[in-house]
Amino acid sequence: MSVKTPISDFIDEITKKDVVRLFMPGHKGVEITGPEKYDITEIHGADSLYSADGIIAESEKICSGIFGSKKTIYSTEGSSQCIKAMIYLLKYFKQSEKIHILAARNVHKSFLYACALSDCEVDWIASDELNSSVCSCRIRPETVEEKLRNKKYDAVYLTSPDYLGNISDIESVSDICHRYGALLLVDNAHGAYLHFLPEKMHPLDLGADMCCDSAHKTLPVLTSGAYLHLSARIPDYVAEKAKDAMEMFGSTSPSYLVLKSLDVCNKYLDEKIRDDLRKTIEQITKAKQTISDNGWKVCESEPLKIVIQSPKSRTGYEIADMMRRNGIECEFCDKDFVTCMVSTFSSEKDIRCLVKALGKNNEKETRTLPKVCVCETKMSIREALFSTSENISVDDSLGRICSDVKVSCPPAVPIVMPGETVNEDAVELLKYYGISGIDAVKNRN
Ligand SMILES: Cc1ncc(COP(=O)(O)O)c(C=O)c1O
């Protein structure tokens, strides 16, 4: 039986009836940029996202069934909102004042805001590799186990996939977490589509307790549409609080355009995505092979990303510029990498364009990646983020305590965390990534 789209049907009905709009928003459905007629608010029958018992509740239930979760909640404010809610929910789960989290270091900045707002203590797991991109944090499950053996943590937090398409061994880490009584939370912002691959790859299917998916990043959903998924291991008393947690970090005016988009996407996920993924991934795999045959270093990555490591004499920025001159815009580039994100809505022509624009590369050698930095923690993330701060030059930052997470977005992965003392490795790393100033806690004197 075909999946229902109750939110979309309701909005379409309102549009068809051409009702007199004496409600918000102020555009009154007049097409100014295009989609205004579908943009409504919580009118009679439209349900209410954070206390849903009508069409939104029905649509979320359908979505939860598709992902096989205990509960899935829609976010109209991205994974950023879901991450804050996940961290807040830990307080409920553990019923304790102070929450201790063990996190792989390549977190998105929203995790740091979440920890500051819910006042959590974080210990970091640095990459097992000595030299690595700041976007990645490859860690062996044994490293996680060693940390959990030595200290009690309420949760382990991983970012998987990361901006370069690396995937963590969620299955092994979740086994370890559960043996040591910790929850596993996963920032799966880049991996909503993973549930629809033939092999188990989505964090929920591999033992994660909670995860967020930015539906908008890899599925046909409007920007900022996302899911918070809770697994069957989350007890009812926590699941019942999840909506309140999302509300705490969200606007009281969630976008119905985004809700409609999430609702309609359920139909696509139920009926078509598996087949489309098979075809798209076949095309991507062939393209990766051709790009590699043409002399480029194509990094191993999750199926929908094409990640190229730049050769020694060129930067990722220069390669992205070359692509731009050929009418292609990538998702992300830095000195060493270019990340291209493909989806089932990319055409075969799009992928061919990329292969053609890249052409041949005759230089095999790549730069040695920068040294990972591990700085000493001097104050909590909350204390640092809420402190009085000043912007200082990186040249003057040695020994100062970082107070912010200002990094360009993407990838929004901080190099030095709020509360950490900048050391020599950090100065070098900040300079490597072209960062010239940081916010530091103002010295009291
Ligand atoms: C790894 C990661 N996590 C979380 C986020 C935040 O997601 P959103 O933009 O959906 O709020 C991003 C955004 O780029 C991200 O790359």
Side-chain angles (χ1 to χ4, degrees), residues 75 77-84 106-111 135 157 159-163 187-190 212-217 223-226 305 331 409-413:
S75 162
E77 291 167 72
S79 283
S80 302
Q81 183 187 18
C82 305
I83 289 168
K84 293 181 192 104
N106 58 334
V107 290
H108 183 263
K109 63 180 174 185
S110 53
F111 172 74
C135 301
Y157 184 91
T159 303
S160 173
D162 64 30
Y163 238 100
D187 173 349
N188 182 50
H190 289 246
C212 63
D213 300 0
S214 292
H216 69 95
K217 291 194 197 298
T223 292
S224 80
K305 283 199 175 78
E331 165 60 29
C409 190
V413 180

Side-chain angles (χ1 to χ4, degrees), residues 148-334:
L148 292 186
R149 204 181 296 125
N150 291 329
K151 184 170 166 182
K152 175 96 186 116
Y153 289 99
D154 299 305
V156 170
Y157 184 91
L158 299 179
T159 303
S160 173
D162 64 30
Y163 238 100
L164 302 182
N166 295 298
I167 296 198
S168 306
D169 183 352
I170 305 280
E171 193 158 31
S172 304
V173 175
S174 74
D175 277 351
I176 294 166
C177 286
H178 298 145
R179 265 195 282 123
Y180 286 85
L183 289 182
L184 176 62
L185 313 187
V186 180
D187 173 349
N188 182 50
H190 289 246
Y193 77 98
L194 295 172
H195 179 68
F196 306 96
L197 297 175
E199 62 275 42
K200 278 188 183 174
M201 284 183 79
H202 190 279
L204 267 196
D205 302 322
L206 296 169
D209 297 290
M210 289 192 260
C211 74
C212 63
D213 300 0
S214 292
H216 69 95
K217 291 194 197 298
T218 59
L219 303 178
V221 166
L222 290 179
T223 292
S224 80
Y227 313 118
L228 171 62
H229 298 298
L230 310 187
S231 83
R233 259 182 310 277
I234 297 294
D236 288 348
Y237 73 92
V238 178
E240 279 156 19
K241 264 283 164 200
K243 277 272 177 182
D244 294 349
M246 291 288 274
E247 182 170 23
M248 188 176 293
F249 302 108
S251 160
T252 51
S253 304
S255 162
Y256 270 82
L257 284 178
V258 175
L259 290 173
K260 186 182 203 296
S261 170
L262 286 163
D263 185 48
V264 170
C265 185
N266 284 341
K267 202 169 167 62
Y268 178 68
L269 299 180
D270 186 61
E271 294 173 2
K272 204 159 178 298
I273 192 170
R274 286 181 172 81
D275 221 26
D276 284 0
L277 275 171
R278 193 181 40 74
K279 288 178 202 146
T280 304
I281 291 170
E282 229 173 75
Q283 290 161 14
I284 295 174
T285 309
K286 271 194 207 145
K288 282 182 177 176
Q289 187 57 53
T290 312
I291 295 167
S292 168
D293 292 345
N294 285 344
W296 295 94
K297 178 161 180 195
V298 180
C299 304
E300 240 180 72
S301 68
E302 35 104 351
L304 287 188
K305 283 199 175 78
I306 302 178
V307 182
I308 291 154
Q309 189 168 355
S310 60
K312 201 166 181 181
S313 68
R314 289 161 92 178
T315 64
Y317 304 111
E318 288 167 332
I319 295 166
D321 263 345
M322 176 183 82
M323 285 165 52
R324 199 167 291 124
R325 285 194 297 277
N326 285 278
I328 301 169
E329 199 57 50
C330 67
E331 165 60 29
F332 163 72
C333 66
D334 67 10

